Amino acid sequence: MNWIDLLRMSSGNLKRRKLRTFLTVLGVIIGTTSIVVMISLGLGMQQMIYQEIEQSGGLNTITVSSGSTGNGMTSYSSGGAGEEEKEKWITDSVVEQFSQIEHVVSAQPVYRMSVMLLKGGYQSWTELIAMTPEGLASQNIDLAPGGRLPQTGTGQLELLYGNGIITSFADKKGNNSYYETGELPDIDLAHDSMFLVLDEAGYQAGQDPSAMSAGTGDQTDGEGTGQNPTKAAKKHAVHASGVVAGDVDFYNSHYYNVYCDLDTLKPMLKKEFSGRAIPGQPVTKSGKPYKEFSYTQAQVKVDDIHAVDETAAMIRQMGFQADTNVEYLESAKGQLKIIQAVLGGIGAVSLLVAAIGIANTMMMSIYERTKEIGVIKVLGCSLRNIKEMFLMEAAFIGLLGGAIGSILSYIISTVINVIVSSSKAMGIEGEISYIPLWLIMAAVVFAVFVGMAAGYFPALRAMRLSPLAAIRND
């Protein structure tokens, strides 16, 4: 018996019992759909992590810090106490050293500080991130129409707002925020001018007359060193260069960030904090600031992703902390594998139930076709042909269920993405469910394999039937 005859007999047997075949195939459809959709959710999470890494500079970017925590900067000394000159700070000279390392194509300083934004009766405590034009460009920020990156060399500080900054505004008592009322303040970030307060301590003291008066005299710290009196904070009028694309429900890695040009910010800080330590800057034991400006971080970009670990190790040997997106990705991948295994296991349960249904269908078919099996054995059909015929029937069920299940899972995935994207209930950027072509092909092949595995033992039973006993069976 050739393959064409086997195909014709197998398909004919399935067509004769349409309802039973339909119900069995339905089980495979449900199982395949479940496992594909579950795995697609894990793949969607992986895609979003890739997008986040791309927005933060890609896999060939190293973030270097000097051991800072929060907004303050803590020294990282290679020697013992009292060796202030050996403390590791990220200065312009250090950034230049980074740029001279082999495989490094660029090294850009980053300065972070806590600031206040004021508009009418609203205020917001936020973090200002100052970067060079090259550093800002490397962030791959998707801007709303009409926006651009902050310009340098103009002498006028411009701010680039994250699309979620508007939610951080509240009244001067800290009430009536967006998360309390569900209503956004009447502020147009893209066009309204805003007041920027760099000296938070001075602003707070100005709001409290008693604190202001207490600060007018000479003060001493715990070691008895003199400090300058508290000054009233200056309010700098600033305008926006742009806003990150998306509304408040569109979360991304720049959601709560406010960016500005580093070269424009530095002169403003030195002028306002003349004679005092700039927030986040290291000071000597006597409380005096160092001459060199120290940055919070540095972004180092290498020319080859395979050189990232080697370059990061060299930076660590210099006494700095170095974190790479590759390390973050590897950690995230480990967590995603667990999530995908759990989600895939949930879907596999449905496919296991479908496999039991296939085995049951094939066993019933053998009982109903006992005489037919005996006749074809007597006519000279080989045992191998009988096994192949039953395995082919089981494979047909798996193939049909897998193909339809894959199409159905793609439709469900599309619906999920449309609902999430339109409602923005989760504030997710991109596709939460992602089905690549290889997953569809793997699902179909796996469904066929499950079908054949479920039909294997029924096929063996059909082979072992005695021809004479089968013919006499009623």
Side-chain angles (χ1 to χ4, degrees):
M1 187 178 295
N2 57 38
W3 280 96
I4 296 178
D5 294 331
L6 289 173
L7 286 172
R8 185 170 56 250
M9 291 185 64
S10 298
S11 60
N13 291 330
L14 292 175
K15 290 178 182 178
R16 285 203 304 266
R17 299 165 180 83
K18 294 183 176 62
L19 181 59
R20 183 189 299 168
T21 301
F22 169 76
L23 293 176
T24 308
V25 171
L26 182 61
V28 180
I29 292 174
I30 295 174
T32 303
T33 302
S34 299
I35 195 170
V36 171
V37 171
M38 289 295 183
I39 293 178
S40 74
L41 295 175
L43 293 176
M45 295 173 63
Q46 181 173 301
Q47 287 294 109
M48 287 188 286
I49 290 177
Y50 288 154
Q51 291 176 6
E52 182 180 350
I53 290 176
E54 188 63 28
Q55 289 175 348
S56 61
L59 292 175
N60 58 344
T61 298
I62 304 172
T63 301
V64 184
S65 60
S66 55
S68 60
T69 55
N71 199 39
M73 299 183 68
T74 306
S75 65
Y76 190 108
S77 177
S78 58
E83 297 186 4
E84 292 181 329
E85 69 280 3
K86 293 186 178 181
E87 291 178 348
K88 299 296 184 178
W89 305 110
I90 301 177
T91 60
D92 288 322
S93 59
V94 171
V95 174
E96 180 62 25
Q97 292 178 27
F98 293 156
S99 65
Q100 300 300 320
I101 298 176
E102 186 181 4
H103 297 295
V104 172
V105 294
S106 69
Q108 303 298 330
V110 180
Y111 185 69
R112 297 171 179 264
M113 66 177 299
S114 180
V115 297
M116 287 192 66
L117 295 173
L118 306 174
K119 177 61 179 178
Y122 295 100
Q123 65 181 19
S124 170
W125 302 83
T126 188
E127 184 180 52
L128 182 64
I129 304 175
M131 305 178 70
T132 62
E134 295 81 3
L136 285 170
S138 69
Q139 296 300 299
N140 302 315
I141 303 175
D142 185 17
L143 300 177
R148 56 173 172 77
L149 296 178
Q151 292 183 337
T152 186
T154 62
Q156 179 64 40
L157 189 68
E158 295 179 324
L159 301 184
L160 173 60
Y161 297 106
N163 54 301
I165 283 295
I166 190 70
T167 64
S168 65
F169 281 87
D171 60 27
K172 293 186 177 180
K173 295 183 179 180
N175 301 322
N176 298 321
S177 67
Y178 168 74
Y179 296 104
E180 293 175 338
T181 64
E183 298 180 359
L184 293 173
D186 186 19
I187 300 175
D188 187 351
L189 292 177
H191 301 98
D192 290 350
S193 62
M194 194 112 35
F195 283 117
L196 172 67
V197 177
L198 300 173
D199 186 1
E200 291 182 326
Y203 179 80
Q204 289 179 314
Q207 301 302 304
D208 185 357
S210 60
M212 189 71 179
S213 60
T216 57
D218 290 340
Q219 295 179 341
T220 58
D221 58 15
E223 298 179 0
T225 57
Q227 293 185 348
N228 292 330
T230 305
K231 298 180 180 179
K234 182 178 179 180
K235 299 179 182 178
H236 303 271
V238 293
H239 292 81
S241 67
V243 181
V244 176
D247 57 23
V248 295
D249 295 319
F250 191 68
Y251 184 79
N252 55 78
S253 59
H254 311 292
Y255 189 80
Y256 286 116
N257 294 346
V258 178
Y259 298 96
C260 73
D261 176 64
L262 179 59
D263 292 332
T264 307
L265 177 66
K266 285 169 62 176
M268 294 175 59
L269 290 172
K270 292 178 180 179
K271 182 178 180 181
E272 180 161 353
F273 293 92
S274 177
R276 297 182 292 160
I278 299 173
Q281 291 290 297
V283 295
T284 64
K285 288 187 174 181
S286 60
K288 296 181 179 180
Y290 288 97
K291 293 181 179 180
E292 285 191 279
F293 191 91
S294 298
Y295 303 104
T296 312
Q297 295 173 329
Q299 283 194 341
V300 177
K301 196 167 187 177
V302 299
D303 56 6
D304 187 359
I305 188 175
H306 300 292
V308 170
D309 291 338
E310 177 186 350
T311 306
M314 295 178 64
I315 293 175
R316 293 186 184 108
Q317 289 178 359
M318 295 171 63
F320 298 93
Q321 296 182 4
D323 300 310
T324 69
N325 286 335
V326 174
E327 295 169 341
Y328 169 72
L329 179 61
E330 291 300 323
S331 175
K333 276 185 175 180
Q335 297 176 358
L336 284 175
K337 285 180 181 179
I338 298 176
I339 295 175
Q340 288 178 345
V342 172
L343 294 176
I346 294 173
V349 172
S350 300
L351 203 56
L352 176 62
V353 174
I356 296 174
I358 294 175
N360 180 64
T361 297
M362 300 308 299
M363 290 300 298
M364 292 297 296
S365 178
I366 291 173
Y367 287 127
E368 293 175 353
R369 296 158 55 194
T370 301
K371 184 173 291 188
E372 176 186 339
I373 294 171
V375 170
I376 60 177
K377 279 188 175 182
V378 171
L379 293 178
C381 182
S382 67
L383 296 179
R384 178 179 178 181
N385 287 149
I386 294 175
K387 182 177 73 171
E388 289 173 347
M389 180 177 63
F390 279 90
L391 288 177
M392 196 169 292
E393 290 182 24
F396 270 136
I397 294 175
L399 177 63
L400 189 59
I404 298 175
S406 297
I407 296 173
L408 182 60
S409 63
Y410 185 81
I411 295 174
I412 293 176
S413 175
T414 302
V415 172
I416 291 174
N417 290 329
V418 169
I419 292 175
V420 172
S421 177
S422 60
S423 66
K424 296 178 181 177
M426 300 176 66
I428 292 177
E429 176 185 5
E431 298 180 344
I432 188 176
S433 177
Y434 172 66
I435 302 180
L437 180 60
W438 66 263
L439 180 58
I440 295 292
M441 297 177 63
V444 174
V445 172
F446 186 61
V448 172
F449 172 77
V450 170
M452 295 181 67
Y456 182 75
F457 288 105
L460 290 181
R461 180 177 177 82
M463 289 174 57
R464 294 168 182 167
L465 284 176
S466 170
L468 296 178
I471 293 175
R472 291 198 299 267
N473 184 67
D474 293 329

